Amino acid sequence: MSFLLPQLTCKKEVDQAIKTVAEKVLVLRFGRDNDAVCLQLDDILAKTAHDLSKMAVIYLVDVNNVPVYTQYFDISYIPSTVFFFNGQHMKVDYGSPDHTKFVGSFKTKQDFIDLIEVIYRGAMRGKLIVRSPIDPNNIPKYDLLYQGI
Amino acid sequence: RPGCCGTWPGADGAEGVPVSRRPEHRRQTARFWRENRAEAALREQCLVPAEEYERFAQALERALGEHQRREEERILQMAADIREAERRQRETVQAALQVEPELCAGPSVCRPPTGPERDSPCAAEQPGPSRMHTGPDLAWMDSSQVLTFIGHQEAEGKGNVHTGAKPPWLTEEEDGIKQQIGPSYEEFLKHKEKQKLKKLPVERVGANFDHTSQTSDSWLPSFGRVWNHGRRWQSRHQFRTESGEKKKK
């Protein structure tokens, strides 16, 4: 069943999403529609969105449209996926250097589903940071460069 | 159980004639008697001849009519008695109310006979329970508590609470608009959602987050940035500072 993921095109819409999504994990994929890895990730997100609809709401955001957030969220690689719950940023320890976002694509749909479940459960228990259930081998590797400001 | 001829009593059939009067009734009864080997003598006793039946029916009708008439008379008599009693009661009360002011017009007000030092004319009259047996007990009422009589509420035809008439709040249909009592359907759905919210754990992230707050264009969510180790608000603060510096350039 194909599911077309909704897009947020400006800062205001992103603000709206962060503020209004209630009692569900907000998934914001930052990237570009024509990027190869983004396409991979978007495919996984689209195919799992329906099954996760009770726990998560997923939006696609083009990094060119929201420069403020691209900077604020320190997005240097795409795709980067940021998670919120009730307006609060949820951090995840993937075993990678950056806990504030998921960089790259998931290997399988199940990995993404498991991650959402863990984030959801942690949020319900009041945790702002959770540990990723994904096998570290399946986590994309990247170098986190300190961007001098 | 069906009667002795095999059919149900009261089953009038197409002609409208009761079962017991049909011609074949006698034949069926005879057969029934034979089949069940009942005593022949009894049969004559059990079978009611047509004329007897007629007499019985007529007598029954007369008796029923008589009974109904007697019952109606009795009820009317009771109603009249009650009305008479009410009338007498009203008169007594009014008479009492007229008498009381005369007594109270004297130098001292009518008080309950509790103060022995009071030498009032009321004491001689003995107001209170000893005087009035059928009327209300006026002795305990101060003169300041005289009730205003607003008239006997005659509502013949419309009925009242005692006759079981329909109450006024149920008879209104003048506007024609369907007035819904209570919350609308959407309000009910919203209420259900709120109830569901209550079931969620209280310690969950952002439980007290105001989803409907109006924010400015420069609003930023609470985000712990990569290179920040302190509290999250510091991320926001630092970002704003950086942006501010950039703008100044």
Side-chain angles (χ1 to χ4, degrees):
Chain A
M1 188 198 112
S2 95
F3 189 88
L4 206 58
L5 292 167
Q7 303 205 349
L8 304 173
T9 58
C10 62
K11 178 184 185 290
K12 227 184 167 72
E13 285 181 14
V14 177
D15 290 355
Q16 200 55 27
I18 294 172
K19 280 190 296 175
T20 56
V21 171
E23 318 310 333
K24 285 187 193 174
V25 179
L26 173 64
V27 181
L28 297 178
R29 181 285 263 146
F30 288 86
R32 290 197 193 103
D33 288 349
N34 46 17
D35 177 81
V37 184
C38 284
L39 282 171
Q40 256 188 342
L41 173 62
D42 292 356
D43 185 56
I44 288 182
L45 296 179
K47 284 180 175 158
T48 57
H50 180 256
D51 293 335
L52 293 170
S53 55
K54 293 230 184 309
M55 279 195 292
V57 177
I58 305 172
Y59 288 105
L60 305 180
V61 187
D62 190 309
V63 285
N64 297 342
N65 293 340
V66 286
V68 182
Y69 280 131
T70 308
Q71 286 164 30
Y72 184 49
F73 294 154
D74 301 315
I75 296 174
S76 12
Y77 293 97
I78 57 168
S80 279
T81 309
V82 185
F83 303 101
F84 283 87
F85 192 87
N86 277 340
Q88 278 287 334
H89 173 221
M90 294 294 292
K91 292 192 184 182
V92 183
D93 181 2
Y94 309 97
S96 59
D98 190 347
H99 297 175
T100 67
K101 61 182 84 65
F102 184 85
V103 177
S105 174
F106 300 96
K107 187 166 180 202
T108 61
K109 289 188 290 183
Q110 196 55 46
D111 279 350
F112 177 60
I113 293 171
D114 292 344
L115 178 62
I116 292 296
E117 270 206 53
V118 165
I119 295 175
Y120 183 83
R121 293 225 182 97
M124 279 298 158
R125 298 212 305 269
K127 309 252 180 275
L128 286 173
I129 179 162
V130 294
R131 256 198 63 201
S132 155
I134 303 174
D135 185 346
N137 294 330
N138 294 349
I139 304 285
K141 299 277 178 287
Y142 55 94
D143 293 318
L144 192 65
L145 305 165
Y146 175 68
Q147 290 181 334
I149 296 154
Chain B
R1 282 195 306 142
C4 54
C5 66
T7 53
W8 293 90
D12 279 6
E15 304 91 31
V17 177
V19 170
S20 53
R21 297 215 229 154
R22 289 208 218 127
E24 69 257 31
H25 188 252
R26 282 192 78 93
R27 271 186 280 121
Q28 304 261 24
T29 320
R31 198 170 84 187
F32 180 83
W33 241 257
R34 275 194 307 261
E35 284 171 0
N36 293 285
R37 282 190 273 248
E39 283 214 25
L42 279 178
R43 194 180 81 200
E44 287 307 316
Q45 288 182 25
C46 289
L47 204 56
V48 179
E51 315 85 49
E52 293 279 344
Y53 188 86
E54 278 295 329
R55 245 180 14 140
F56 170 70
Q58 282 170 14
L60 184 67
E61 274 180 50
R62 276 200 302 270
L64 196 65
E66 271 296 316
H67 176 77
Q68 277 173 347
R69 273 192 294 273
R70 262 182 276 132
E71 280 301 303
E72 268 199 57
E73 258 184 56
R74 198 167 60 84
I75 290 170
L76 286 170
Q77 182 61 42
M78 275 168 63
D81 287 341
I82 293 170
R83 271 197 291 270
E84 181 60 33
E86 267 187 30
R87 191 184 60 77
R88 265 186 279 124
Q89 231 185 27
R90 266 204 308 275
E91 280 171 12
T92 321
V93 170
Q94 285 184 0
L97 287 173
Q98 278 159 11
V99 171
E100 274 298 302
E102 290 175 19
L103 287 172
C104 294
S108 62
V109 182
C110 281
R111 298 254 166 88
T114 48
E117 69 280 353
R118 282 217 163 268
D119 182 23
S120 62
C122 288
E125 294 286 343
Q126 283 191 32
S130 56
R131 182 162 63 101
M132 313 249 274
H133 298 285
T134 53
D137 182 6
L138 299 167
W140 60 272
M141 286 196 294
D142 287 331
S143 54
S144 58
Q145 224 189 93
V146 172
L147 297 175
T148 312
F149 183 66
I150 64 168
H152 186 69
Q153 301 302 317
E154 301 283 349
E156 321 293 6
K158 265 191 279 176
N160 58 19
V161 65
H162 303 292
T163 67
K166 202 168 188 186
W169 57 86
L170 287 182
T171 59
E172 303 252 8
E173 270 294 338
E174 286 146 34
D175 357 38
I177 312 162
K178 196 165 73 100
Q179 287 162 325
Q180 283 189 343
I181 309 170
S184 69
Y185 186 61
E186 291 116 9
E187 284 168 19
F188 172 65
L189 288 176
K190 274 187 209 150
H191 181 254
K192 284 223 292 197
E193 289 301 316
K194 277 195 209 139
Q195 295 298 102
K196 270 194 218 160
L197 270 186
K198 278 193 198 157
K199 287 194 186 160
L200 292 173
V202 184
E203 68 275 10
R204 71 186 185 282
V205 169
N208 52 0
F209 183 72
D210 180 11
H211 293 274
T212 55
S213 64
Q214 300 295 322
T215 57
S216 68
D217 287 340
S218 58
W219 175 80
L220 292 170
S222 157
F223 184 84
R225 300 181 81 194
V226 185
W227 303 108
N228 288 66
H229 289 283
R231 303 296 300 276
R232 287 193 180 183
W233 65 264
Q234 285 181 357
S235 295
R236 209 169 0 195
H237 180 78
Q238 191 184 340
F239 181 77
R240 288 207 169 111
T241 319
E242 291 162 15
S243 308
E245 282 173 6
K246 277 187 183 162
K247 275 186 192 163
K248 280 178 193 168
K249 277 182 188 172

